[in-house]
Amino acid sequence: FVKKYGERVRSLSMKLDYTEENEPIDFQHLVLPNLENLNLKDVFVKNLHLTSTNTPLLASIFLSNIHGYMKLFLELPNLISFYAEHTHVHGETKNSFGLSISRCPNLEHIETYKFRGLTGSNFCVLPKCEHFEFAPENDANQRVGRRALVLDEFVAQRHTFAE
């Protein structure tokens, strides 16, 4: 499908009935040059590798209930919105998520809920971010509390830079 129609796809929504037999999706080798919106729900993603080479126009990513441990690598100059819920990420380094979103300089809106698998401090630089809502887990109150403190510092720094 992608080889034949990939150049025409502007919006891609996938929702699959997950079973153990489903092959995981690897986006690293998919080329969708006109894709602007990606919506994945209840799918098994092995590798969400999205760059200006394979998805140069991608502006919005919505992830819900992604199965397995998904590798995440983003480098998207046009990405404006990133939303993820009930998703477990796995990166090559301890700061993979922070590095990925930092490679998206126009990112304005980030929202997560039960976003699991993050390790390290996940430092990021988000020059245009206006909304950052981060809820990694609600079953480990101590971890949420520490992350909330970091987010308060982020908000304070964001306002300092904007003024």
Side-chain angles (χ1 to χ4, degrees), residues 52-70:
S52 57
T53 303
N54 65 344
T55 53
L57 301 179
L58 191 58
S60 174
I61 296 173
F62 178 89
L63 308 171
S64 178
N65 204 29
I66 303 301
H67 298 274
Y69 291 86
M70 174 185 73

Side-chain angles (χ1 to χ4, degrees), residues 36-54:
E36 296 174 3
N37 301 298
L38 178 64
N39 184 331
L40 303 175
K41 186 172 183 176
D42 295 321
V43 295
F44 186 8
V45 177
K46 174 184 177 182
N47 190 359
L48 192 65
H49 188 102
L50 304 170
T51 68
S52 57
T53 303
N54 65 344

Side-chain angles (χ1 to χ4, degrees), residues 120-135:
S121 62
N122 280 282
F123 176 82
C124 57
V125 177
L126 303 166
K128 293 190 177 179
C129 188
E130 296 176 3
H131 180 85
F132 191 103
E133 188 173 330
F134 186 74

